[in-house]
Amino acid sequence: MGSSDERVVAVIMVGGPTKGTRFRPLSLNVPKPLFPLAGQPMVHHPISACRRIPNLAQVYLIGFYEEREFALYVSAISNELRVPVRYLREDKPHGSAGGLYSFRDYIMEDDPSHIFLLNCDVCCSFPLPEMLDAHKRYGGMGTVLVIKVSAESANQFGELVADPVTDELLHYTEKPETFVSDLINCGVYVFTPKIFIAIQDSFTQRKDRDYLRLDQDILSPLAGKKELYTYETREFWEQIKTPGMSLKCSGLYLAQIRHTSPHLLAESKGSRRSATIVGDVYFHPSAKIHPTAKGEGDYNAKLGITILGESVAVEDEVVVTNSIVLPNKTLNVSVQEEIIL
């Protein structure tokens, strides 16, 4: 645990409408960070994980969506989780390091001893307190969350080499053409405020002082200089880049909820008047599911890894499985279209 006078802030990069185009068409009507995964907006999961950080003072969301698109959500999530959340809008994309640096005065308002940086489109268990403890033991400027993947898929990510004894980051390369390592960057970091000095130094060495990437422009040059270390997670991790990943990641989060907060999941009540629930299922309290009206093995609503949004209605004789149903939809046997995926 940190000392009582320590303060920690968290920054979550949420991107903007010109980013995440591979997630379309799901992001055409709702900003990608607000698309529901396991019944909650995508960005809810990292924000909720930040609650477990000792001495958390503030969570900042940085992106270039219009402020009005996040205003209601930021107000609601701050009240619901009792965590101060603030949205900071970039005038244009500045890169992950550039965006962080642009709002350094806001981030440093609480004089934090440590700064977490997370990417919104990452799905994982977010072991943030454990990562912070390891970071303090290392004594460096920053610590990167890493995970081992198959050698065949590693080149889709930032590959890195770490010292097997000290966990120091020795080498980092982004999406290399040839295999370097099966250890990859998870897009979750914790830094001391010295990160702003490193970013400033990098800016002074560049002609383009308007855009700076954290991975290529900061991590790579600092690797092997006893400034950066790694913390390996052995739990789940995925990137949420395409529509299909929204379903897979919802399943991962629902499985996690099954272990941490099972009361949030739907359950069969064993009554002829309630739907049969199979697997990990979430539905909004306002969703209406037609009750079971037939005998054993013959029922109206069978739900697998499924999420039903606000004011969804599932009518007689409907089977819903492996789906995300967005708010205000009605499902009946005459509906042939796929709502999601």
Side-chain angles (χ1 to χ4, degrees):
M1 296 291 290
S3 62
S4 58
D5 58 343
E6 275 189 350
R7 286 179 174 268
V8 180
V9 299
V11 177
I12 302 175
M13 308 302 290
V14 299
T18 59
K19 296 286 185 179
T21 54
R22 283 184 289 168
F23 200 67
R24 294 176 181 172
L26 304 187
S27 56
L28 290 177
N29 296 321
V30 60
K32 180 181 175 181
L34 300 183
F35 186 86
L37 299 180
Q40 298 289 352
M42 184 184 299
V43 72
H44 172 96
H45 300 284
I47 293 176
S48 181
C50 288
R51 283 201 306 171
R52 300 191 298 114
I53 302 172
N55 305 316
L56 179 69
Q58 181 82 43
V59 176
Y60 293 102
L61 309 181
I62 294 180
F64 47 99
Y65 290 99
E66 294 291 337
E67 290 187 26
R68 58 180 171 77
E69 297 189 85
F70 276 84
L72 289 177
Y73 174 73
V74 166
S75 175
I77 196 66
S78 298
N79 292 329
E80 177 187 342
L81 299 183
R82 297 182 181 179
V83 173
V85 180
R86 181 173 183 179
Y87 177 67
L88 301 175
R89 184 178 182 271
E90 298 179 86
D91 57 344
K92 59 182 178 179
H94 292 285
S96 49
L100 187 71
Y101 190 75
S102 296
F103 295 107
R104 61 194 180 280
D105 291 340
Y106 289 100
I107 294 168
M108 293 303 299
E109 276 182 352
D110 291 296
D111 192 25
S113 59
H114 296 89
I115 302 159
F116 273 92
L117 179 64
L118 300 82
N119 284 296
C120 176
D121 60 355
V122 164
C123 167
C124 73
S125 60
F126 296 107
L128 305 183
E130 298 83 356
M131 192 176 170
L132 180 59
D133 287 342
H135 172 74
K136 291 178 180 179
R137 292 196 304 271
Y138 298 148
M141 180 186 71
T143 298
V144 184
L145 185 68
V146 301
I147 192 170
K148 284 187 176 180
V149 298
S150 67
E152 294 76 20
S153 64
N155 65 356
Q156 301 174 37
F157 311 99
E159 297 182 25
L160 51 91
V161 177
D163 187 297
V165 177
T166 66
D167 294 322
E168 182 190 355
L169 177 62
L170 301 177
H171 178 72
Y172 182 88
T173 181
E174 185 69 16
K175 299 179 181 178
E177 294 184 1
T178 58
F179 178 76
V180 174
S181 169
D182 60 356
L183 206 60
I184 66 165
N185 177 5
C186 290
V188 178
Y189 316 87
V190 59
F191 297 107
T192 67
K194 286 177 60 180
I195 184 62
F196 292 120
I197 298 175
I199 295 174
Q200 185 177 29
D201 290 344
S202 183
F203 266 132
T204 59
Q205 298 169 18
R206 296 166 56 89
K207 292 182 179 179
D208 179 6
R209 299 187 179 183
D210 202 36
Y211 191 92
L212 199 68
R213 303 160 300 183
L214 183 68
D215 36 27
Q216 293 102 315
D217 301 324
I218 303 296
L219 299 187
S220 291
L222 288 178
K225 297 183 178 179
K226 299 189 183 301
E227 290 282 9
L228 301 174
Y229 292 81
T230 62
Y231 180 80
E232 183 179 351
T233 178
R234 300 183 185 276
E235 300 183 14
F236 66 90
W237 179 88
E238 294 286 351
Q239 274 190 318
I240 315 166
K241 295 296 186 183
T242 62
M245 289 306 298
S246 64
L247 190 58
K248 180 176 182 179
C249 291
S250 287
L252 291 171
Y253 279 136
L254 288 177
Q256 182 185 40
I257 292 170
R258 173 68 66 185
H259 291 287
T260 59
S261 305
H263 63 282
L264 297 177
L265 299 181
E267 292 183 341
S268 291
K269 298 179 181 180
S271 167
R272 294 173 62 96
R273 295 182 176 275
S274 63
T276 298
I277 306 298
V278 179
D280 293 331
V281 178
Y282 169 86
F283 54 79
H284 192 274
S286 65
K288 296 180 179 180
I289 317 299
H290 193 280
T292 298
K294 298 183 180 180
E296 184 176 352
D298 189 4
Y299 40 81
N300 300 332
K302 176 181 178 181
L303 311 175
I305 297 175
T306 298
I307 301 94
L308 302 183
E310 184 176 359
S311 300
V312 165
V314 181
E315 297 186 349
D316 191 16
E317 301 293 341
V318 172
V319 176
V320 185
T321 185
N322 292 328
S323 301
I324 299 173
V325 183
L326 297 181
N328 304 307
K329 302 293 183 182
T330 297
L331 305 185
N332 55 54
V333 292
S334 64
V335 175
Q336 298 298 320
E337 62 178 312
E338 293 188 7
I339 303 300
I340 288 293
L341 306 178

